[in-house]
Amino acid sequence: QYATTGCSLTLHHTEKPEHEDICEYRPYSCPCPGASCKWQGSLEAVMSHLMHAHKSITTLQGEDIVFLATDINLPGAVDWVMMQSCFGHHFMLVLEKQEKYEGHQQFFAIVLLIGTRKQAENFAYRLELNGNRRRLTWEATPRSIHDGVNAAIVNSDCLVFDTAIAHLFADNGNLGINVTISTC
């Protein structure tokens, strides 16, 4: 199905649907959390889409930045999104607050590369909460925006903490997460 965009695999018809779900040449969906944006396009068009359709997203330059999530006490499911540019790539930082289990709100923090899975393997990220003589750190390989945030959250393959821990590190309802991107 994606031969026109560069896929050169020839598969048996029974293997096609499974491959198409993970094919690097399928269109990219808007990586912003939430299902309201239905945009799809090429990898090269993702940043342009984000800058024009999602103007509220801040972009910081550098491999070591602070992602500030404001008003973390807002009720219900909330997303905080920010971009980080370094090493010639763009990374999407996402913090989601949601109720994964009944009555138990959790925060999920992850970094996605605006790029392919293969490109993502060239990087590592570290998320760190600091404060009150405490430190909480998560280190991992960024996910490609092809994989999205939901798969990571379902598998808890990201920095996960509950509201009690968030309050240990928060300052007046704001949470600063140190984000460091490095090359492998």
Side-chain angles (χ1 to χ4, degrees):
Q1 179 178 348
Y2 304 120
T4 57
T5 51
C7 184
S8 59
L9 278 181
T10 306
L11 300 167
H12 190 267
H13 71 90
T14 58
E15 298 169 316
K16 238 177 94 175
E18 188 177 320
H19 170 74
E20 286 173 353
D21 285 346
I22 61 164
C23 182
E24 291 286 353
Y25 296 97
R26 78 181 193 276
Y28 283 75
S29 298
C30 176
C32 284
S36 58
C37 184
K38 302 292 185 209
W39 178 89
Q40 285 194 328
S42 69
L43 179 57
E44 295 73 30
V46 172
M47 277 309 290
S48 175
H49 163 73
L50 291 173
M51 291 187 318
H52 292 97
H54 303 280
K55 291 183 169 121
S56 63
I57 298 176
T58 305
T59 301
L60 292 181
Q61 305 290 327
E63 55 204 70
D64 199 359
I65 59 118
V66 176
F67 176 15
L68 186 64
T70 57
D71 300 325
I72 62 165
N73 300 320
L74 287 170
V78 184
D79 300 314
W80 293 267
V81 180
M82 191 175 161
M83 299 299 296
Q84 181 173 356
S85 293
C86 57
F87 302 113
H89 285 82
H90 301 286
F91 299 85
M92 178 174 268
L93 320 176
V94 177
L95 176 66
E96 280 200 22
K97 180 171 83 165
Q98 60 172 258
E99 212 171 276
K100 194 171 177 186
Y101 306 105
E102 186 74 33
H104 184 67
Q105 289 216 310
Q106 289 181 298
F107 289 85
F108 302 88
I110 189 164
V111 174
L112 304 170
L113 172 70
I114 308 292
T116 65
R117 290 181 189 94
K118 197 158 194 62
Q119 289 172 322
E121 290 171 9
N122 296 317
F123 299 98
Y125 72 92
R126 184 175 70 236
L127 301 176
E128 193 169 274
L129 298 175
N130 284 302
N132 304 321
R133 297 175 65 174
R134 293 174 176 84
R135 177 180 296 171
L136 180 62
T137 304
W138 170 264
E139 294 183 16
T141 301
R143 286 180 172 247
S144 162
I145 56 168
H146 246 175
D147 298 325
V149 176
N150 290 340
I153 289 175
V154 166
N155 299 316
S156 294
D157 185 15
C158 53
L159 176 60
V160 182
F161 52 96
D162 62 18
T163 50
I165 290 174
H167 289 291
L168 289 175
F169 294 102
D171 182 21
N172 290 331
N174 300 323
L175 188 64
I177 304 174
N178 296 319
V179 184
T180 305
I181 308 282
S182 56
T183 54
C184 298

